[in-house]
Amino acid sequence: DTGVSQNPRHKITKRGQNVTFRCDPISEHNRLYWYRQTLGQGPEFLTYFQNEAQLEKSRLLSDRFSAERPKGSFSTLEIQRTEQGDSAMYLCASSLGPAGASGNTIYFGEGSWLTVV
Amino acid sequence: QKEVEQDPGPLSVPEGAIVSLNCTYSNSAFQYFMWYRQYSRKGPELLMYTYSSGNKEDGRFTAQVDKSSKYISLFIRDSQPSDSATYLCAMTLSYNTDKLIFGTGTRLQVFP
């Protein structure tokens, strides 16, 4: 396995449409994270999973956003009724252990760019 | 006020220069500190991890933490054009937390 894989890499959608992004983490990693990054800003935490359980959600994750990780493998992030403010890069990451622990490197994917027109 | 502040740059330096990148933070509870490098249109990659005040060196990179001043730095020696990227500081509250708080990033350009 060469790393965290995200699809699609780019998505242009009309306002009001639904979009779904997929993330395939590094195979042995039990932790999976979603972050959002806008131009000129650092990544902002959205949510994370330990195996299939979603353990924390940011207030940034409005009710139009939903993330799943069935069977503790790949994950999907769906945005319903997209708005122009949702335009951003959505980053997926995975790790073996907690983000704060030495040796538990969080590996990021290359991101999925969303443009809402 | 953001929890973590970083000068956005761009910082432009000649090849071979020593680069200093800095972050300040407001929450004294932050315990673990990281520096990530992000090339254009790519995901961030971890460069350095530190958890105590003082210096940590890895090749051309040195990370410095001053918890009393709530200030962290990354020094790059003998900078190369390939170092041109955005450098993000990140931090967490505890050993077993899973949420990273990132700075806004500093864009670095190293010209030949």
Side-chain angles (χ1 to χ4, degrees), chain B residues 66-103:
Chain B
D66 182 347
K67 288 186 178 179
S68 63
S69 300
K70 291 184 280 188
Y71 189 89
I72 67 171
S73 299
L74 178 71
F75 298 96
I76 307 175
R77 288 183 299 282
D78 188 25
S79 56
Q80 303 294 311
S82 58
D83 294 327
S84 298
T86 295
Y87 289 80
L88 298 153
C89 62
M91 45 201 77
T92 67
L93 290 172
S94 68
Y95 171 87
N96 59 358
T97 188
D98 279 273
K99 177 179 173 180
L100 290 177
I101 308 298
F102 281 90

PDB file of all heavy atoms in Angstrom, chain B residues 66-103:
ATOM      1  N   ASP B  66       9.266  26.583  22.973  1.00  0.00           N
ATOM      2  CA  ASP B  66       9.372  27.378  24.202  1.00  0.00           C
ATOM      3  C   ASP B  66       7.962  27.472  24.791  1.00  0.00           C
ATOM      4  O   ASP B  66       7.187  28.359  24.433  1.00  0.00           O
ATOM      5  CB  ASP B  66       9.931  28.767  23.888  1.00  0.00           C
ATOM      6  CG  ASP B  66      10.120  29.621  25.137  1.00  0.00           C
ATOM      7  OD1 ASP B  66       9.596  29.237  26.207  1.00  0.00           O
ATOM      8  OD2 ASP B  66      10.769  30.657  25.037  1.00  0.00           O
ATOM      9  N   LYS B  67       7.643  26.552  25.683  1.00  0.00           N
ATOM     10  CA  LYS B  67       6.286  26.508  26.234  1.00  0.00           C
ATOM     11  C   LYS B  67       5.998  27.720  27.114  1.00  0.00           C
ATOM     12  O   LYS B  67       4.858  28.163  27.211  1.00  0.00           O
ATOM     13  CB  LYS B  67       6.080  25.223  27.023  1.00  0.00           C
ATOM     14  CG  LYS B  67       5.977  23.980  26.146  1.00  0.00           C
ATOM     15  CD  LYS B  67       5.618  22.759  26.961  1.00  0.00           C
ATOM     16  CE  LYS B  67       5.464  21.548  26.079  1.00  0.00           C
ATOM     17  NZ  LYS B  67       5.126  20.328  26.867  1.00  0.00           N
ATOM     18  N   SER B  68       7.014  28.259  27.760  1.00  0.00           N
ATOM     19  CA  SER B  68       6.768  29.404  28.632  1.00  0.00           C
ATOM     20  C   SER B  68       6.324  30.623  27.834  1.00  0.00           C
ATOM     21  O   SER B  68       5.519  31.437  28.300  1.00  0.00           O
ATOM     22  CB  SER B  68       8.023  29.734  29.453  1.00  0.00           C
ATOM     23  OG  SER B  68       9.086  30.106  28.597  1.00  0.00           O
ATOM     24  N   SER B  69       6.812  30.722  26.595  1.00  0.00           N
ATOM     25  CA  SER B  69       6.430  31.840  25.728  1.00  0.00           C
ATOM     26  C   SER B  69       5.329  31.456  24.749  1.00  0.00           C
ATOM     27  O   SER B  69       4.866  32.300  23.974  1.00  0.00           O
ATOM     28  CB  SER B  69       7.647  32.338  24.945  1.00  0.00           C
ATOM     29  OG  SER B  69       8.661  32.784  25.807  1.00  0.00           O
ATOM     30  N   LYS B  70       4.953  30.186  24.738  1.00  0.00           N
ATOM     31  CA  LYS B  70       3.945  29.666  23.804  1.00  0.00           C
ATOM     32  C   LYS B  70       4.361  29.979  22.373  1.00  0.00           C
ATOM     33  O   LYS B  70       3.611  30.606  21.597  1.00  0.00           O
ATOM     34  CB  LYS B  70       2.558  30.215  24.159  1.00  0.00           C
ATOM     35  CG  LYS B  70       2.033  29.639  25.472  1.00  0.00           C
ATOM     36  CD  LYS B  70       0.626  30.094  25.798  1.00  0.00           C
ATOM     37  CE  LYS B  70       0.656  31.470  26.395  1.00  0.00           C
ATOM     38  NZ  LYS B  70      -0.651  31.916  26.906  1.00  0.00           N
ATOM     39  N   TYR B  71       5.549  29.500  22.041  1.00  0.00           N
ATOM     40  CA  TYR B  71       6.190  29.860  20.779  1.00  0.00           C
ATOM     41  C   TYR B  71       6.963  28.647  20.285  1.00  0.00           C
ATOM     42  O   TYR B  71       7.706  28.034  21.045  1.00  0.00           O
ATOM     43  CB  TYR B  71       7.151  31.016  21.076  1.00  0.00           C
ATOM     44  CG  TYR B  71       7.781  31.692  19.896  1.00  0.00           C
ATOM     45  CD1 TYR B  71       7.154  32.768  19.281  1.00  0.00           C
ATOM     46  CD2 TYR B  71       9.028  31.301  19.433  1.00  0.00           C
ATOM     47  CE1 TYR B  71       7.732  33.413  18.217  1.00  0.00           C
ATOM     48  CE2 TYR B  71       9.627  31.950  18.377  1.00  0.00           C
ATOM     49  CZ  TYR B  71       8.978  33.011  17.773  1.00  0.00           C
ATOM     50  OH  TYR B  71       9.556  33.652  16.718  1.00  0.00           O
ATOM     51  N   ILE B  72       6.763  28.291  19.011  1.00  0.00           N
ATOM     52  CA  ILE B  72       7.546  27.203  18.441  1.00  0.00           C
ATOM     53  C   ILE B  72       8.167  27.678  17.125  1.00  0.00           C
ATOM     54  O   ILE B  72       7.621  28.564  16.456  1.00  0.00           O
ATOM     55  CB  ILE B  72       6.727  25.918  18.222  1.00  0.00           C
ATOM     56  CG1 ILE B  72       5.649  26.113  17.143  1.00  0.00           C
ATOM     57  CG2 ILE B  72       6.075  25.460  19.523  1.00  0.00           C
ATOM     58  CD1 ILE B  72       4.962  24.805  16.748  1.00  0.00           C
ATOM     59  N   SER B  73       9.294  27.082  16.786  1.00  0.00           N
ATOM     60  CA  SER B  73      10.020  27.485  15.588  1.00  0.00           C
ATOM     61  C   SER B  73      10.522  26.264  14.840  1.00  0.00           C
ATOM     62  O   SER B  73      10.743  25.205  15.435  1.00  0.00           O
ATOM     63  CB  SER B  73      11.239  28.350  15.953  1.00  0.00           C
ATOM     64  OG  SER B  73      10.847  29.523  16.626  1.00  0.00           O
ATOM     65  N   LEU B  74      10.699  26.440  13.548  1.00  0.00           N
ATOM     66  CA  LEU B  74      11.352  25.452  12.700  1.00  0.00           C
ATOM     67  C   LEU B  74      12.464  26.176  11.952  1.00  0.00           C
ATOM     68  O   LEU B  74      12.207  27.195  11.302  1.00  0.00           O
ATOM     69  CB  LEU B  74      10.372  24.827  11.713  1.00  0.00           C
ATOM     70  CG  LEU B  74      10.979  23.802  10.745  1.00  0.00           C
ATOM     71  CD1 LEU B  74      11.354  22.526  11.500  1.00  0.00           C
ATOM     72  CD2 LEU B  74      10.021  23.477   9.599  1.00  0.00           C
ATOM     73  N   PHE B  75      13.676  25.643  12.075  1.00  0.00           N
ATOM     74  CA  PHE B  75      14.813  26.207  11.361  1.00  0.00           C
ATOM     75  C   PHE B  75      15.220  25.228  10.254  1.00  0.00           C
ATOM     76  O   PHE B  75      15.285  24.017  10.484  1.00  0.00           O
ATOM     77  CB  PHE B  75      15.990  26.445  12.304  1.00  0.00           C
ATOM     78  CG  PHE B  75      15.690  27.433  13.392  1.00  0.00           C
ATOM     79  CD1 PHE B  75      15.281  26.992  14.643  1.00  0.00           C
ATOM     80  CD2 PHE B  75      15.795  28.799  13.173  1.00  0.00           C
ATOM     81  CE1 PHE B  75      14.992  27.891  15.658  1.00  0.00           C
ATOM     82  CE2 PHE B  75      15.518  29.705  14.180  1.00  0.00           C
ATOM     83  CZ  PHE B  75      15.103  29.251  15.423  1.00  0.00           C
ATOM     84  N   ILE B  76      15.486  25.777   9.086  1.00  0.00           N
ATOM     85  CA  ILE B  76      15.963  24.982   7.967  1.00  0.00           C
ATOM     86  C   ILE B  76      17.333  25.520   7.586  1.00  0.00           C
ATOM     87  O   ILE B  76      17.468  26.704   7.222  1.00  0.00           O
ATOM     88  CB  ILE B  76      15.018  25.058   6.749  1.00  0.00           C
ATOM     89  CG1 ILE B  76      13.574  24.717   7.143  1.00  0.00           C
ATOM     90  CG2 ILE B  76      15.497  24.111   5.645  1.00  0.00           C
ATOM     91  CD1 ILE B  76      12.565  24.901   6.012  1.00  0.00           C
ATOM     92  N   ARG B  77      18.339  24.659   7.685  1.00  0.00           N
ATOM     93  CA  ARG B  77      19.698  25.069   7.303  1.00  0.00           C
ATOM     94  C   ARG B  77      19.940  24.723   5.852  1.00  0.00           C
ATOM     95  O   ARG B  77      19.338  23.776   5.312  1.00  0.00           O
ATOM     96  CB  ARG B  77      20.728  24.337   8.168  1.00  0.00           C
ATOM     97  CG  ARG B  77      20.783  24.800   9.608  1.00  0.00           C
ATOM     98  CD  ARG B  77      21.893  24.054  10.361  1.00  0.00           C
ATOM     99  NE  ARG B  77      21.671  22.623  10.376  1.00  0.00           N
ATOM    100  CZ  ARG B  77      20.814  22.022  11.188  1.00  0.00           C
ATOM    101  NH1 ARG B  77      20.101  22.729  12.034  1.00  0.00           N
ATOM    102  NH2 ARG B  77      20.674  20.709  11.156  1.00  0.00           N
ATOM    103  N   ASP B  78      20.859  25.469   5.209  1.00  0.00           N
ATOM    104  CA  ASP B  78      21.238  25.182   3.831  1.00  0.00           C
ATOM    105  C   ASP B  78      19.998  24.945   2.961  1.00  0.00           C
ATOM    106  O   ASP B  78      19.831  23.887   2.335  1.00  0.00           O
ATOM    107  CB  ASP B  78      22.162  23.965   3.786  1.00  0.00           C
ATOM    108  CG  ASP B  78      22.754  23.711   2.415  1.00  0.00           C
ATOM    109  OD1 ASP B  78      22.868  24.682   1.631  1.00  0.00           O
ATOM    110  OD2 ASP B  78      23.057  22.547   2.097  1.00  0.00           O
ATOM    111  N   SER B  79      19.110  25.910   2.953  1.00  0.00           N
ATOM    112  CA  SER B  79      17.833  25.735   2.255  1.00  0.00           C
ATOM    113  C   SER B  79      18.042  25.484   0.766  1.00  0.00           C
ATOM    114  O   SER B  79      18.988  25.996   0.143  1.00  0.00           O
ATOM    115  CB  SER B  79      16.946  26.961   2.474  1.00  0.00           C
ATOM    116  OG  SER B  79      17.613  28.139   2.062  1.00  0.00           O
ATOM    117  N   GLN B  80      17.164  24.663   0.210  1.00  0.00           N
ATOM    118  CA  GLN B  80      17.228  24.232  -1.181  1.00  0.00           C
ATOM    119  C   GLN B  80      15.944  24.644  -1.901  1.00  0.00           C
ATOM    120  O   GLN B  80      14.888  24.756  -1.267  1.00  0.00           O
ATOM    121  CB  GLN B  80      17.379  22.711  -1.253  1.00  0.00           C
ATOM    122  CG  GLN B  80      18.591  22.178  -0.513  1.00  0.00           C
ATOM    123  CD  GLN B  80      19.886  22.637  -1.157  1.00  0.00           C
ATOM    124  OE1 GLN B  80      20.062  22.520  -2.364  1.00  0.00           O
ATOM    125  NE2 GLN B  80      20.789  23.186  -0.360  1.00  0.00           N
ATOM    126  N   PRO B  81      16.004  24.817  -3.214  1.00  0.00           N
ATOM    127  CA  PRO B  81      14.767  25.112  -3.954  1.00  0.00           C
ATOM    128  C   PRO B  81      13.672  24.078  -3.714  1.00  0.00           C
ATOM    129  O   PRO B  81      12.484  24.414  -3.712  1.00  0.00           O
ATOM    130  CB  PRO B  81      15.227  25.125  -5.413  1.00  0.00           C
ATOM    131  CG  PRO B  81      16.650  25.569  -5.343  1.00  0.00           C
ATOM    132  CD  PRO B  81      17.193  24.943  -4.082  1.00  0.00           C
ATOM    133  N   SER B  82      14.074  22.841  -3.453  1.00  0.00           N
ATOM    134  CA  SER B  82      13.083  21.784  -3.193  1.00  0.00           C
ATOM    135  C   SER B  82      12.370  21.968  -1.848  1.00  0.00           C
ATOM    136  O   SER B  82      11.380  21.293  -1.565  1.00  0.00           O
ATOM    137  CB  SER B  82      13.748  20.402  -3.229  1.00  0.00           C
ATOM    138  OG  SER B  82      14.792  20.352  -2.265  1.00  0.00           O
ATOM    139  N   ASP B  83      12.895  22.885  -1.009  1.00  0.00           N
ATOM    140  CA  ASP B  83      12.213  23.198   0.260  1.00  0.00           C
ATOM    141  C   ASP B  83      11.045  24.160   0.053  1.00  0.00           C
ATOM    142  O   ASP B  83      10.299  24.445   0.994  1.00  0.00           O
ATOM    143  CB  ASP B  83      13.193  23.821   1.262  1.00  0.00           C
ATOM    144  CG  ASP B  83      14.288  22.868   1.705  1.00  0.00           C
ATOM    145  OD1 ASP B  83      14.017  21.644   1.793  1.00  0.00           O
ATOM    146  OD2 ASP B  83      15.417  23.340   1.955  1.00  0.00           O
ATOM    147  N   SER B  84      10.906  24.689  -1.152  1.00  0.00           N
ATOM    148  CA  SER B  84       9.810  25.637  -1.431  1.00  0.00           C
ATOM    149  C   SER B  84       8.477  24.926  -1.260  1.00  0.00           C
ATOM    150  O   SER B  84       8.158  23.961  -1.960  1.00  0.00           O
ATOM    151  CB  SER B  84       9.941  26.182  -2.858  1.00  0.00           C
ATOM    152  OG  SER B  84      11.145  26.897  -3.005  1.00  0.00           O
ATOM    153  N   ALA B  85       7.712  25.380  -0.297  1.00  0.00           N
ATOM    154  CA  ALA B  85       6.451  24.734   0.076  1.00  0.00           C
ATOM    155  C   ALA B  85       5.782  25.601   1.143  1.00  0.00           C
ATOM    156  O   ALA B  85       6.327  26.632   1.552  1.00  0.00           O
ATOM    157  CB  ALA B  85       6.710  23.335   0.643  1.00  0.00           C
ATOM    158  N   THR B  86       4.637  25.166   1.595  1.00  0.00           N
ATOM    159  CA  THR B  86       3.989  25.799   2.748  1.00  0.00           C
ATOM    160  C   THR B  86       4.276  24.957   3.985  1.00  0.00           C
ATOM    161  O   THR B  86       4.150  23.736   3.948  1.00  0.00           O
ATOM    162  CB  THR B  86       2.473  25.919   2.529  1.00  0.00           C
ATOM    163  OG1 THR B  86       2.220  26.808   1.444  1.00  0.00           O
ATOM    164  CG2 THR B  86       1.777  26.468   3.783  1.00  0.00           C
ATOM    165  N   TYR B  87       4.693  25.619   5.047  1.00  0.00           N
ATOM    166  CA  TYR B  87       5.031  24.927   6.292  1.00  0.00           C
ATOM    167  C   TYR B  87       3.954  25.229   7.329  1.00  0.00           C
ATOM    168  O   TYR B  87       3.665  26.385   7.634  1.00  0.00           O
ATOM    169  CB  TYR B  87       6.419  25.360   6.773  1.00  0.00           C
ATOM    170  CG  TYR B  87       7.487  24.804   5.879  1.00  0.00           C
ATOM    171  CD1 TYR B  87       7.781  25.405   4.654  1.00  0.00           C
ATOM    172  CD2 TYR B  87       8.166  23.632   6.199  1.00  0.00           C
ATOM    173  CE1 TYR B  87       8.718  24.879   3.793  1.00  0.00           C
ATOM    174  CE2 TYR B  87       9.123  23.091   5.351  1.00  0.00           C
ATOM    175  CZ  TYR B  87       9.382  23.725   4.148  1.00  0.00           C
ATOM    176  OH  TYR B  87      10.312  23.180   3.289  1.00  0.00           O
ATOM    177  N   LEU B  88       3.377  24.158   7.841  1.00  0.00           N
ATOM    178  CA  LEU B  88       2.268  24.256   8.786  1.00  0.00           C
ATOM    179  C   LEU B  88       2.711  23.762  10.155  1.00  0.00           C
ATOM    180  O   LEU B  88       3.265  22.666  10.259  1.00  0.00           O
ATOM    181  CB  LEU B  88       1.107  23.370   8.325  1.00  0.00           C
ATOM    182  CG  LEU B  88       0.455  23.705   6.985  1.00  0.00           C
ATOM    183  CD1 LEU B  88      -0.147  22.450   6.366  1.00  0.00           C
ATOM    184  CD2 LEU B  88      -0.623  24.753   7.173  1.00  0.00           C
ATOM    185  N   CYS B  89       2.480  24.555  11.183  1.00  0.00           N
ATOM    186  CA  CYS B  89       2.662  24.023  12.519  1.00  0.00           C
ATOM    187  C   CYS B  89       1.334  23.402  12.963  1.00  0.00           C
ATOM    188  O   CYS B  89       0.264  23.796  12.495  1.00  0.00           O
ATOM    189  CB  CYS B  89       3.118  25.085  13.505  1.00  0.00           C
ATOM    190  SG  CYS B  89       1.953  26.442  13.749  1.00  0.00           S
ATOM    191  N   ALA B  90       1.425  22.415  13.831  1.00  0.00           N
ATOM    192  CA  ALA B  90       0.228  21.758  14.343  1.00  0.00           C
ATOM    193  C   ALA B  90       0.488  21.350  15.782  1.00  0.00           C
ATOM    194  O   ALA B  90       1.637  21.118  16.170  1.00  0.00           O
ATOM    195  CB  ALA B  90      -0.132  20.535  13.499  1.00  0.00           C
ATOM    196  N   MET B  91      -0.551  21.265  16.558  1.00  0.00           N
ATOM    197  CA  MET B  91      -0.373  20.897  17.950  1.00  0.00           C
ATOM    198  C   MET B  91      -1.605  20.176  18.487  1.00  0.00           C
ATOM    199  O   MET B  91      -2.698  20.257  17.911  1.00  0.00           O
ATOM    200  CB  MET B  91      -0.049  22.125  18.807  1.00  0.00           C
ATOM    201  CG  MET B  91      -0.871  23.339  18.561  1.00  0.00           C
ATOM    202  SD  MET B  91      -0.019  24.841  19.165  1.00  0.00           S
ATOM    203  CE  MET B  91       1.193  25.125  17.872  1.00  0.00           C
ATOM    204  N   THR B  92      -1.387  19.435  19.584  1.00  0.00           N
ATOM    205  CA  THR B  92      -2.472  18.698  20.216  1.00  0.00           C
ATOM    206  C   THR B  92      -2.425  18.921  21.721  1.00  0.00           C
ATOM    207  O   THR B  92      -1.404  19.323  22.266  1.00  0.00           O
ATOM    208  CB  THR B  92      -2.381  17.190  19.942  1.00  0.00           C
ATOM    209  OG1 THR B  92      -1.216  16.681  20.605  1.00  0.00           O
ATOM    210  CG2 THR B  92      -2.282  16.887  18.475  1.00  0.00           C
ATOM    211  N   LEU B  93      -3.557  18.624  22.343  1.00  0.00           N
ATOM    212  CA  LEU B  93      -3.670  18.876  23.774  1.00  0.00           C
ATOM    213  C   LEU B  93      -3.036  17.794  24.631  1.00  0.00           C
ATOM    214  O   LEU B  93      -2.555  18.050  25.719  1.00  0.00           O
ATOM    215  CB  LEU B  93      -5.149  19.043  24.154  1.00  0.00           C
ATOM    216  CG  LEU B  93      -5.810  20.329  23.651  1.00  0.00           C
ATOM    217  CD1 LEU B  93      -7.309  20.288  23.924  1.00  0.00           C
ATOM    218  CD2 LEU B  93      -5.185  21.541  24.314  1.00  0.00           C
ATOM    219  N   SER B  94      -3.072  16.560  24.145  1.00  0.00           N
ATOM    220  CA  SER B  94      -2.572  15.482  25.000  1.00  0.00           C
ATOM    221  C   SER B  94      -2.068  14.329  24.153  1.00  0.00           C
ATOM    222  O   SER B  94      -2.262  14.290  22.946  1.00  0.00           O
ATOM    223  CB  SER B  94      -3.669  14.996  25.944  1.00  0.00           C
ATOM    224  OG  SER B  94      -4.687  14.345  25.215  1.00  0.00           O
ATOM    225  N   TYR B  95      -1.448  13.393  24.814  1.00  0.00           N
ATOM    226  CA  TYR B  95      -0.877  12.223  24.159  1.00  0.00           C
ATOM    227  C   TYR B  95      -1.925  11.441  23.386  1.00  0.00           C
ATOM    228  O   TYR B  95      -1.670  10.952  22.295  1.00  0.00           O
ATOM    229  CB  TYR B  95      -0.248  11.332  25.235  1.00  0.00           C
ATOM    230  CG  TYR B  95       0.185   9.983  24.746  1.00  0.00           C
ATOM    231  CD1 TYR B  95       1.445   9.809  24.206  1.00  0.00           C
ATOM    232  CD2 TYR B  95      -0.655   8.882  24.842  1.00  0.00           C
ATOM    233  CE1 TYR B  95       1.863   8.573  23.755  1.00  0.00           C
ATOM    234  CE2 TYR B  95      -0.250   7.639  24.398  1.00  0.00           C
ATOM    235  CZ  TYR B  95       1.009   7.490  23.858  1.00  0.00           C
ATOM    236  OH  TYR B  95       1.410   6.267  23.420  1.00  0.00           O
ATOM    237  N   ASN B  96      -3.107  11.295  23.965  1.00  0.00           N
ATOM    238  CA  ASN B  96      -4.095  10.399  23.344  1.00  0.00           C
ATOM    239  C   ASN B  96      -5.214  11.149  22.634  1.00  0.00           C
ATOM    240  O   ASN B  96      -6.287  10.604  22.404  1.00  0.00           O
ATOM    241  CB  ASN B  96      -4.687   9.456  24.393  1.00  0.00           C
ATOM    242  CG  ASN B  96      -5.361  10.219  25.513  1.00  0.00           C
ATOM    243  OD1 ASN B  96      -5.361  11.441  25.533  1.00  0.00           O
ATOM    244  ND2 ASN B  96      -5.946   9.501  26.450  1.00  0.00           N
ATOM    245  N   THR B  97      -4.945  12.394  22.254  1.00  0.00           N
ATOM    246  CA  THR B  97      -5.947  13.115  21.476  1.00  0.00           C
ATOM    247  C   THR B  97      -5.787  12.792  20.003  1.00  0.00           C
ATOM    248  O   THR B  97      -4.694  12.460  19.542  1.00  0.00           O
ATOM    249  CB  THR B  97      -5.833  14.626  21.690  1.00  0.00           C
ATOM    250  OG1 THR B  97      -6.928  15.267  21.059  1.00  0.00           O
ATOM    251  CG2 THR B  97      -4.570  15.182  21.060  1.00  0.00           C
ATOM    252  N   ASP B  98      -6.864  12.891  19.294  1.00  0.00           N
ATOM    253  CA  ASP B  98      -6.827  12.593  17.862  1.00  0.00           C
ATOM    254  C   ASP B  98      -7.076  13.806  16.994  1.00  0.00           C
ATOM    255  O   ASP B  98      -7.227  13.675  15.789  1.00  0.00           O
ATOM    256  CB  ASP B  98      -7.845  11.498  17.531  1.00  0.00           C
ATOM    257  CG  ASP B  98      -7.301  10.118  17.860  1.00  0.00           C
ATOM    258  OD1 ASP B  98      -6.634   9.544  16.982  1.00  0.00           O
ATOM    259  OD2 ASP B  98      -7.527   9.646  18.984  1.00  0.00           O
ATOM    260  N   LYS B  99      -7.097  14.966  17.563  1.00  0.00           N
ATOM    261  CA  LYS B  99      -7.403  16.183  16.817  1.00  0.00           C
ATOM    262  C   LYS B  99      -6.188  17.088  16.775  1.00  0.00           C
ATOM    263  O   LYS B  99      -5.636  17.454  17.811  1.00  0.00           O
ATOM    264  CB  LYS B  99      -8.568  16.897  17.510  1.00  0.00           C
ATOM    265  CG  LYS B  99      -8.982  18.207  16.910  1.00  0.00           C
ATOM    266  CD  LYS B  99     -10.164  18.761  17.707  1.00  0.00           C
ATOM    267  CE  LYS B  99     -10.524  20.161  17.278  1.00  0.00           C
ATOM    268  NZ  LYS B  99     -11.668  20.674  18.071  1.00  0.00           N
ATOM    269  N   LEU B 100      -5.756  17.418  15.566  1.00  0.00           N
ATOM    270  CA  LEU B 100      -4.657  18.357  15.382  1.00  0.00           C
ATOM    271  C   LEU B 100      -5.220  19.749  15.136  1.00  0.00           C
ATOM    272  O   LEU B 100      -6.178  19.916  14.377  1.00  0.00           O
ATOM    273  CB  LEU B 100      -3.806  17.959  14.174  1.00  0.00           C
ATOM    274  CG  LEU B 100      -2.952  16.699  14.270  1.00  0.00           C
ATOM    275  CD1 LEU B 100      -2.245  16.455  12.956  1.00  0.00           C
ATOM    276  CD2 LEU B 100      -1.968  16.799  15.409  1.00  0.00           C
ATOM    277  N   ILE B 101      -4.611  20.749  15.766  1.00  0.00           N
ATOM    278  CA  ILE B 101      -4.937  22.151  15.501  1.00  0.00           C
ATOM    279  C   ILE B 101      -3.787  22.724  14.692  1.00  0.00           C
ATOM    280  O   ILE B 101      -2.640  22.728  15.163  1.00  0.00           O
ATOM    281  CB  ILE B 101      -5.116  22.955  16.798  1.00  0.00           C
ATOM    282  CG1 ILE B 101      -6.100  22.271  17.745  1.00  0.00           C
ATOM    283  CG2 ILE B 101      -5.552  24.385  16.470  1.00  0.00           C
ATOM    284  CD1 ILE B 101      -7.498  22.133  17.195  1.00  0.00           C
ATOM    285  N   PHE B 102      -4.099  23.190  13.492  1.00  0.00           N
ATOM    286  CA  PHE B 102      -3.077  23.687  12.591  1.00  0.00           C
ATOM    287  C   PHE B 102      -3.017  25.204  12.598  1.00  0.00           C
ATOM    288  O   PHE B 102      -4.033  25.889  12.809  1.00  0.00           O
ATOM    289  CB  PHE B 102      -3.388  23.251  11.148  1.00  0.00           C
ATOM    290  CG  PHE B 102      -3.032  21.831  10.827  1.00  0.00           C
ATOM    291  CD1 PHE B 102      -3.954  20.813  11.017  1.00  0.00           C
ATOM    292  CD2 PHE B 102      -1.783  21.521  10.317  1.00  0.00           C
ATOM    293  CE1 PHE B 102      -3.636  19.500  10.710  1.00  0.00           C
ATOM    294  CE2 PHE B 102      -1.458  20.207  10.005  1.00  0.00           C
ATOM    295  CZ  PHE B 102      -2.380  19.202  10.205  1.00  0.00           C
ATOM    296  N   GLY B 103      -1.822  25.734  12.332  1.00  0.00           N
ATOM    297  CA  GLY B 103      -1.681  27.140  11.996  1.00  0.00           C
ATOM    298  C   GLY B 103      -2.087  27.348  10.546  1.00  0.00           C
ATOM    299  O   GLY B 103      -2.423  26.408   9.828  1.00  0.00           O
TER     300      GLY B 103
END
